[in-house]
Amino acid sequence: DFIKDESQPLEDRIWVWTHYGTAYRATYTLYEVTFAGNWPTNARPVLERVSQAFVVFYLLYITIIVFAVIRVISAIFLKDTLDEAHNDAQHLVLDRLKKKAEYIERLEGVFRTLDVNGRGTLSEQVLNHMLANPKVKAYFQTLEVDVQEGTALFHLLDNGDGEVTLEEFIDGIMRCKGPARAIDTVALHSDVKQLDNK
């Protein structure tokens, strides 16, 4: 009715027609109102030029749709994102456990290769002989264990009985893997203090 009313200013009628003249135009304007955040520029001209009665529609629409619904949807997306991040953390833990199991399996293979006698233990002589081979030393480096000589490695792995078992080998190599860790340094410092006290 406002658009057809020739007593109204032509400029205002054109503006209302452009924004609300058809179902398509009105829908697109409401889309802008909802997501662009420019609802005052689309609502105030209607209230001032057409009718103040439309304030009821805009109050309800802005309050329920723009603020309530959109914020609820945003909160749901945020919750899903945080849940996904939590799942990623769990996945990371499982992935590390899997890699650790694969690493231990490789160490078991190395131990069986080094255990030429099949006794289930390694002596210092066998370890020195094997590590004299550059290929064996290079393979240890692929396991992130930088081994310079067999004697030093043997004394790190041996618990004092003169032989290294599979359990000692895996435990020792796992401790030698990668850079030194702060907890190991603290443990070593504690052991030295206890030895000094004795």
Side-chain angles (χ1 to χ4, degrees):
D1 292 340
F2 178 83
I3 295 169
K4 293 178 180 179
D5 187 357
E6 295 183 2
S7 65
Q8 300 293 340
L10 180 62
E11 182 183 346
D12 293 346
R13 292 163 59 200
I14 292 174
W15 188 93
V16 173
W17 163 258
T18 303
H19 291 82
Y20 299 97
T22 65
Y24 165 76
R25 292 170 188 261
T27 302
Y28 185 77
T29 301
L30 288 178
Y31 185 85
E32 282 186 335
V33 166
T34 305
F35 294 103
N38 62 346
W39 60 268
T41 58
N42 287 309
R44 187 163 293 279
V46 175
L47 301 180
E48 292 178 351
R49 300 170 190 175
V50 182
S51 172
Q52 291 289 330
F54 284 105
V55 73
V56 176
F57 167 78
Y58 282 111
L59 278 176
L60 291 174
Y61 186 82
I62 299 301
T63 304
I64 295 173
I65 303 298
V66 177
F67 288 111
V69 174
I70 298 301
R71 292 194 180 189
V72 167
I73 292 172
S74 300
I76 290 171
F77 276 116
L78 180 60
K79 181 182 179 298
D80 288 344
T81 303
L82 294 175
D83 288 345
E84 194 62 35
H86 180 68
N87 290 337
D88 284 345
Q90 288 181 336
H91 179 71
L92 182 62
V93 170
L94 292 174
D95 187 52
R96 288 195 176 181
L97 289 174
K98 181 181 176 184
K99 286 182 179 178
K100 183 179 179 181
E102 291 174 355
Y103 188 81
I104 290 174
E105 190 175 337
R106 289 174 67 189
L107 288 180
E108 289 176 353
V110 171
F111 184 86
R112 291 191 187 95
T113 304
L114 296 176
D115 183 20
V116 290
N117 298 325
R119 295 185 303 130
T121 58
L122 297 176
S123 64
E124 185 176 347
Q125 291 79 14
V126 170
L127 205 54
N128 275 325
H129 176 70
M130 288 295 185
L131 288 175
N133 187 335
K135 290 184 179 178
V136 175
K137 194 176 287 189
Y139 186 75
F140 268 98
Q141 287 177 346
T142 65
L143 296 174
E144 299 181 41
V145 179
D146 190 13
V147 179
Q148 299 302 322
E149 58 176 12
T151 303
L153 178 63
F154 181 82
H155 289 301
L156 282 171
L157 303 178
D158 184 28
N159 65 355
D161 61 359
E163 291 184 328
V164 175
T165 63
L166 175 61
E167 290 77 15
E168 291 171 350
F169 182 78
I170 291 174
D171 183 61
I173 294 294
M174 291 294 286
R175 290 179 64 82
C176 294
K177 180 180 179 290
R181 291 168 294 188
I183 191 168
D184 293 329
T185 308
V186 172
L188 179 63
H189 186 260
S190 175
D191 290 342
V192 171
K193 283 178 66 178
Q194 291 177 16
L195 185 62
D196 185 52
N197 289 336
K198 289 180 182 178

